[in-house]
Amino acid sequence: MGRNAEIGLHGESLGAATTIASLKDVQNVSFAVADCGFSDIENVLEEIWRYSHIPTAIGPVMNQYAKLHFGIPISTMRPIDSLAKNQVPILFIHGEDDQYILPANSERMYEATKGKRDLLLVPKAGHAESVFVNKSLYTEKLKDFLSSLAS
């Protein structure tokens, strides 16, 4: 470590969302990798509720409960909002068959960031499975992305 150290962030699922959200306040990292992160927690909860046959009308109630109980409404948990002015290069990775956090989350964040970015959708990969389903594709894309930062 020293003055020439490169710092990168790599997160998966909630870790990816946290990585993206942190970019609002942390711009002194060299790159970020966000693997199957969510753009906003509300769309993930709505999918879970739909899948579980829970009426999505529960959303506002849960939002108010979180605000009263934790002091933070669910509606503010939006990593995508951290990307409007982002300049940290980001590689978004998502399994095409992810039914937990839909790939559209990574696609929306890819479109939202104005800095250098890339997107890999891994065929036949579910939630947090991309590196296991196609390790060679995953590592090759990661190597290509990191190499592109050096030039």
Side-chain angles (χ1 to χ4, degrees), residues 67-85:
K67 185 176 180 181
L68 291 172
H69 191 69
F70 302 111
I72 303 170
I74 290 172
S75 60
T76 62
M77 297 176 200
R78 298 179 45 83
I80 196 168
D81 292 344
S82 299
L83 297 173
K85 296 179 182 178

Side-chain angles (χ1 to χ4, degrees), residues 3 7 10 13 25 52 56 59 88-89 94-95 97 107-108 118 120 125 141:
R3 293 190 189 277
I7 298 173
H10 187 285
S13 192
D25 299 313
S52 303
T56 56
V88 174
H94 217 110
D97 293 344
E107 292 170 329
R108 282 193 295 271
D118 206 345
L120 171 64
K141 186 64 162 187

Side-chain angles (χ1 to χ4, degrees), residues 20-21 38-40 78-84 105 108-110 112:
I20 297 301
F38 58 83
S39 58
D40 64 275
R78 298 179 45 83
I80 196 168
D81 292 344
S82 299
L83 297 173
N105 283 273
R108 282 193 295 271
M109 290 191 290
Y110 172 84

